[in-house]
Amino acid sequence: MKLASNPVFCAVVKSVLDADGKEVAAWNGPMPSVLQGDAVEEMEISWERRDNELLPTPLSQDQSVGLGELLRGRNNPAACFDLAQSKRGQLHAFLYPTETQFRKQGDSWLFVLAAGKRNAFYPSKKDPGRVDAFIIKTLRAGHRDLISRAPAIAGLAAKSVALVGAGAVGAPLAIELARNGIGELGRRSSARPHAEEHACSIPSLGTACVQR
């Protein structure tokens, strides 16, 4: 886990344990660079399986599966951690049924970060303040998961692509090829396009690049 001041939350689920403490899933891939270094912390959180698909609404528009319903009664000061600006946070995890592969049902995760002043996690205190809730977006974890969700891209891993020109068209194409697991991508751009047209960031302007 790595936290910044806005708050920004970046994390990888390393292991999932059932109620008996048995490991039912684990992440064995490399850690992203943003999750390396002394600023990274590890934590254990509880999780809950839900029988219905979760499509939570904002707290201000709470419905049967809104964030307010998911977090009601779950404040646990002992499970909180420090955030920026003297705030505290508590992470909640829910496993629910949804479409995880093309036309196939499976389980997916919803992570919700509750954040507020320290007193907000003690409802019995006078004027405890409010707890804000943020949905932590879950992304694909590795090439196998990517292929299971989009079977049509399975053959890209064995392909090599040479992309000439990385401007307003070539740069977005390079990004999409990389996102979809191309085996080898060679990119060269001799022109110097305007920064606002370039999707590969300003440091990439006018440079040659080969990514594997």
Side-chain angles (χ1 to χ4, degrees), residues 75 77 118-129:
N75 286 351
R118 185 178 298 271
N119 284 353
F121 293 91
Y122 294 89
S124 60
K125 287 185 175 291
K126 182 179 179 181
D127 190 23

Side-chain angles (χ1 to χ4, degrees), residues 13 96 108-111 135-141 145 149:
V13 178
Y96 64 96
S108 188
W109 289 97
L110 174 69
F111 295 94
I135 295 177
I136 308 299
K137 185 177 181 180
T138 53
L139 304 176
R140 298 173 175 126
D145 184 41
R149 295 170 185 266

Side-chain angles (χ1 to χ4, degrees), residues 81-133:
F81 46 87
D82 290 331
L83 295 173
Q85 301 174 352
S86 301
K87 290 187 177 182
R88 299 278 284 169
Q90 182 181 352
L91 187 62
H92 305 269
F94 304 92
L95 188 68
Y96 64 96
T98 189
E99 184 182 58
T100 57
Q101 299 184 29
F102 184 63
R103 295 182 179 178
K104 291 185 179 180
Q105 292 294 115
D107 293 324
S108 188
W109 289 97
L110 174 69
F111 295 94
V112 181
L113 176 64
K117 296 292 186 180
R118 185 178 298 271
N119 284 353
F121 293 91
Y122 294 89
S124 60
K125 287 185 175 291
K126 182 179 179 181
D127 190 23
R130 74 174 194 176
V131 174
D132 294 316

Side-chain angles (χ1 to χ4, degrees), residues 29 33 35 46-47 51 66 70 74 80 82 92 119 124 126 139 141 148 164 166 170 176 182 201 206:
S33 59
L35 294 177
S46 60
W47 61 277
D51 295 329
L70 285 176
R74 299 181 184 278
C80 290
D82 290 331
H92 305 269
N119 284 353
S124 60
K126 182 179 179 181
L139 304 176
S148 70
V164 179
E176 289 305 314
I182 190 69
S201 78

